[in-house]
């Protein structure tokens, strides 16, 4: 850029020096002047979601000083949903267990919309009567938390989110209401889907005996003799309260 002094002064060395100072920027601003009296700075990549203030000072040959200041918000990354995950650890969960699921964004976002309800995550539990995790907390943060309580009849070997209710809701960058999250949907990359980064099993079925076989040979056994049987269950079980002699 340049000003009238570029044209007025034949001796470009008489042109005053421009200095720039800033707050909110981590990179110093260096100003240089070419032989024609034009000033320029290097490109600067400011931190995202911050507020910066730049002050420009110009001193002429008579040591008169002019100062101007500009403030602006920095928003260089568009908000997006990057992962569906869970705060609940991997494992098996039965009826009554509370599952905490998360929508994770690349920056803090907020949703607005239907005042009568909140966003929900559709789960792979049931087809005729789909089950949903209800929004719990995090609006305005980068992680939004949803909760679901397991009930009798819920069963899946790999809990997953199959849909996100978006009708009537808009997600936007908390630092700029005009910058919206364009696509709220299941991430394409499986590693960013719930089933791709968590191993949560929902099992409300009680185990059953599938077979009962005699191991000991047929015959007569008196006091103190041991008999052996093989019992198979419909799923892995832990038997407690019995010793090896019972």
């Amino acid at each position: 850029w340049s000003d009238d002094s570029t044209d007025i002064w034949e001796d470009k060395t008489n042109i005053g020096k421009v200095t720039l100072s800033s707050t909110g920027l981590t990179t110093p601003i260096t100003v240089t002047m070419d032989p024609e009296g034009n000033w320029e700075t290097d490109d600067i990549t400011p931190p995202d979601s911050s507020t910066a203030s730049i002050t420009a000072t110009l001193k002429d040959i008579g040591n008169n000083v002019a100062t101007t200041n500009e403030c602006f918000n920095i928003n260089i990354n568009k908000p997006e949903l990057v992962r569906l995950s869970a705060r609940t650890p991997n494992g098996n969960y039965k009826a009554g267990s509370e599952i905490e699921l998360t929508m994770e964004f690349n920056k803090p976002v907020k949703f607005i919309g239907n005042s009568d309800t909140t966003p929900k995550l559709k789960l792979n539990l049931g087809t005729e009567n789909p089950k949903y995790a209800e929004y719990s907390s995090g609006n305005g943060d980068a992680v939004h938390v949803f909760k679901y309580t397991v009930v009798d009849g819920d069963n899946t070997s790999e809990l997953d989110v199959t849909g996100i209710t978006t009708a009537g809701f808009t997600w936007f960058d908390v630092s700029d209401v005009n910058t919206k999250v364009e696509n709220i949907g299941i991430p394409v990359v499986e590693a960013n889907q719930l089933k791709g980064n968590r191993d949560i099993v929902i099992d409300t079925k009680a185990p059953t005996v599938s077979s009962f076989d005699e191991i000991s040979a047929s015959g007569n056994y008196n006091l103190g003799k041991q008999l052996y049987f093989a019992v198979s269950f419909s799923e892995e079980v832990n038997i407690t309260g019995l010793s090896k002699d019972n």
Side-chain angles (χ1 to χ4, degrees):
W1 70 95
S2 62
D3 63 13
D4 291 344
S5 63
T6 303
D7 301 322
I8 295 174
W9 296 101
E10 292 184 3
D11 182 358
K12 303 304 182 184
T13 61
N14 288 328
I15 298 175
K17 182 180 180 181
V18 172
T19 59
L20 293 178
S21 60
S22 67
T23 59
L25 300 180
T26 57
T27 304
I29 302 176
T30 302
V31 183
T32 58
M33 184 178 68
D34 66 16
E36 298 300 319
N38 299 307
W39 299 290
E40 63 179 21
T41 63
D42 295 332
D43 292 334
I44 298 172
T45 302
D48 186 38
S49 301
S50 61
T51 300
S53 174
I54 293 182
T55 300
T57 302
L58 173 63
K59 181 184 293 186
D60 65 13
I61 196 172
N63 287 325
N64 298 302
V65 178
T67 301
T68 185
N69 179 272
E70 292 291 340
C71 294
F72 51 90
N73 293 321
I74 300 167
N75 190 4
I76 60 176
N77 292 325
K78 289 185 177 181
E80 60 181 10
L81 175 64
V82 295
R83 191 170 79 145
L84 294 169
S85 190
R87 289 182 173 176
T88 299
N90 294 337
N92 291 28
Y93 295 88
K94 60 184 181 179
S97 301
E98 185 177 75
I99 309 297
E100 282 193 341
L101 307 179
T102 56
M103 291 176 65
E104 300 177 5
F105 299 85
N106 64 331
K107 63 195 314 182
V109 300
K110 186 175 183 179
F111 67 80
I112 57 174
N114 192 335
S115 59
D116 297 328
T117 185
T118 54
K120 299 178 178 64
L121 302 181
K122 185 178 180 181
L123 307 176
N124 61 333
L125 298 171
T127 53
E128 294 184 2
N129 298 302
K131 304 296 180 65
Y132 295 87
E134 302 280 347
Y135 166 79
S136 174
S137 62
N139 197 17
D141 296 329
V143 177
H144 293 189
V145 181
F146 296 73
K147 292 184 179 181
Y148 177 75
T149 301
V150 179
V151 298
D152 286 332
D154 290 344
N155 293 284
T156 179
S157 60
E158 189 176 50
L159 185 64
D160 196 23
V161 174
T162 59
I164 304 172
T165 58
T166 59
F169 295 99
T170 300
W171 281 261
F172 58 88
D173 189 334
V174 295
S175 64
D176 182 5
V177 296
N178 295 316
T179 304
K180 297 178 175 59
V181 183
E182 296 180 354
N183 297 308
I184 296 289
I186 306 300
V188 175
V189 179
E190 184 172 319
N192 293 329
Q193 300 171 14
L194 177 61
K195 67 180 181 181
N197 62 80
R198 285 291 183 271
D199 186 13
I200 297 175
V201 177
I202 306 298
D203 182 8
T204 63
K205 293 180 180 179
T208 59
V209 175
S210 56
S211 66
F212 186 90
D213 300 311
E214 297 179 1
I215 295 178
S216 299
S218 299
N220 297 324
Y221 293 85
N222 57 16
L223 184 65
K225 296 294 184 180
Q226 293 182 332
L227 299 175
Y228 295 92
F229 303 91
V231 181
S232 298
F233 295 89
S234 58
E235 58 183 289
E236 293 183 2
V237 298
N238 292 320
I239 299 177
T240 59
L242 295 177
S243 69
K244 66 179 181 178
D245 296 325
N246 292 129

